[in-house]
Amino acid sequence: MPNIYKNKKPLVFFLVPAFLFMIVFLYYPFIKNIVNSFQNIRGLGTAAKGWNDPWYLNFTRMVEDENMRIALKNTLIMILVTIVGQVGIALFLAILVDNVKHGSKFFRIVFFFPIVISATALGLLFNLIFLYDKGMINQLLGALGSKGLIDWKNETHALITMMIPVTWQYVGFYFIILVTGLNNISDELYEAAAIDGATRMQRVRYITLPLLHNVICTCIVLAVTGALKVFDLPWVMFPKGIPFGRTWLTGTYMYYQVFNVSDVDYSSTIAILIVVLGVILSKVVNTVFKEKDY
């Protein structure tokens, strides 16, 4: 029986198609994107009109672009929100559900449910919730005695209004990952700690969190890279970065440059920045939260 695993040749038939798929749909588009960033392309699907003069024109433009600075700032805020909001809340809920003896499957389904809903549908739903007139939140505030209505989409509240549904949508995703990690922790460790007199909080602190360290690290990396790419829900709620262009994210601003301005070469430059930031921040996270062997 073990001799089956000594013949490695059949593995080629499985690896080559996957490798070709990645070349065609991942590596080639990325390399093409780099080339496009140095060319003058003014329409999606149109040929380049030549090389930019100077060739680094789009990169200097990106440094000077105020909207790009707003998008980067908002994206960095989004990263912090996703780490604390999505991963943090998911960890809290996972620990709670892990200690529930009856009905844990029900809570897993409920917390995971937002992931299966279309982001477009969620965007429309939260637009109704945050409406200035007849919106659910303002109606509740009115019922509680508040006299003034809050414009949740003005320049002051727009960023918070956008980040609340994004955080809510992906909590369930990290919740499932963390619950799976909790299931791999032996109950004997908790029983031994309980016999030694450890409280529930001490068991969480000295057993659960250390043994979940690598899983939490993975969740944080996914949260950081996901925040750089988030697009659909914010775009539905705040198309074209309204109000006053203060809600731009790197993903929405890149999309705007392609389909609204038809500035393909500049959007390619933004895409390169997103990839570079994703690689750098992932490396930083992996350095700060080093995986441990137990």
Side-chain angles (χ1 to χ4, degrees):
M1 192 68 176
N3 292 331
I4 298 176
Y5 301 102
K6 291 183 178 180
N7 186 7
K8 306 295 183 180
K9 293 181 180 178
L11 296 176
V12 176
F13 294 100
F14 297 96
L15 293 175
V16 169
F19 183 66
L20 291 176
F21 184 88
M22 292 187 67
I23 290 176
V24 174
F25 294 102
L26 180 63
Y27 297 115
Y28 171 74
F30 179 65
I31 294 172
K32 184 64 177 176
N33 221 38
I34 296 174
V35 175
N36 288 345
S37 67
F38 299 113
Q39 295 182 321
N40 183 6
I41 307 174
R42 286 296 174 266
L44 192 64
T46 61
K49 297 180 180 179
W51 299 92
N52 286 323
D53 186 21
W55 57 271
Y56 52 84
L57 177 65
N58 283 322
F59 292 91
T60 56
R61 177 185 168 188
M62 186 168 57
V63 173
E64 298 169 355
D65 189 352
E66 182 182 356
N67 285 330
M68 192 63 221
R69 289 197 291 270
I70 292 172
L72 279 173
K73 183 191 72 173
N74 290 344
T75 301
L76 291 176
I77 295 173
M78 179 69 78
I79 289 173
L80 294 176
V81 169
T82 54
I83 293 174
V84 177
Q86 293 178 357
V87 180
I89 294 174
L91 177 61
F92 178 73
L93 293 175
I95 292 173
L96 289 180
V97 171
D98 189 58
N99 286 278
V100 173
K101 295 182 179 180
H102 303 288
S104 60
K105 290 184 179 179
F106 168 78
F107 289 109
R108 293 182 187 185
I109 294 171
V110 169
F111 294 144
F112 184 74
F113 184 69
I115 288 294
V116 303
I117 303 175
S118 166
T120 304
L122 285 178
L124 296 174
L125 171 65
F126 277 95
N127 274 339
L128 295 174
I129 292 174
F130 289 112
L131 277 177
Y132 178 75
D133 187 23
K134 305 301 181 182
M136 187 184 75
I137 294 181
N138 278 339
Q139 287 189 53
L140 288 173
L141 292 175
L144 294 173
S146 177
K147 296 181 180 179
L149 298 178
I150 300 176
D151 185 1
W152 294 101
K153 288 195 171 186
N154 64 14
E155 188 173 3
T156 304
H157 302 100
L159 201 59
I160 298 174
T161 302
M162 179 180 67
M163 290 185 178
I164 287 174
V166 174
T167 301
W168 178 78
Q169 182 186 14
Y170 284 97
V171 166
F173 175 71
Y174 300 110
F175 168 79
I176 291 297
I177 296 176
L178 291 166
V179 165
T180 304
L182 286 170
N183 290 338
N184 293 327
I185 300 176
S186 175
D187 292 334
E188 294 178 357
L189 294 174
Y190 294 111
E191 292 171 1
I195 292 172
D196 290 337
T199 63
R200 190 178 297 273
M201 287 300 298
Q202 287 175 329
R203 278 175 273 171
V204 170
R205 180 180 176 184
Y206 295 107
I207 297 177
T208 304
L209 294 181
L211 293 180
L212 271 184
H213 180 276
N214 294 346
V215 179
I216 294 172
C217 179
T218 301
C219 288
I220 292 176
V221 171
L222 292 174
V224 169
T225 55
L228 289 169
K229 300 180 293 182
V230 65
F231 158 76
D232 40 13
L233 201 157
W235 182 260
V236 173
M237 295 187 68
F238 295 96
K240 301 181 182 179
I242 60 174
F244 315 112
R246 295 298 176 184
T247 57
W248 286 124
L249 298 169
T250 50
T252 56
Y253 192 53
M254 179 188 69
Y255 182 89
Y256 173 78
Q257 290 295 330
V258 176
F259 293 99
N260 292 78
V261 185
S262 296
D263 199 343
V264 178
D265 52 329
Y266 187 51
S267 66
S268 299
T269 310
I270 298 173
I272 293 172
L273 177 65
I274 293 173
V275 173
V276 171
L277 283 176
V279 172
I280 293 174
L281 292 176
S282 298
K283 180 63 176 177
V284 170
V285 170
N286 283 320
T287 302
V288 174
F289 301 95
K290 293 181 179 179
E291 291 194 356
K292 300 179 181 179
D293 294 326
Y294 294 96

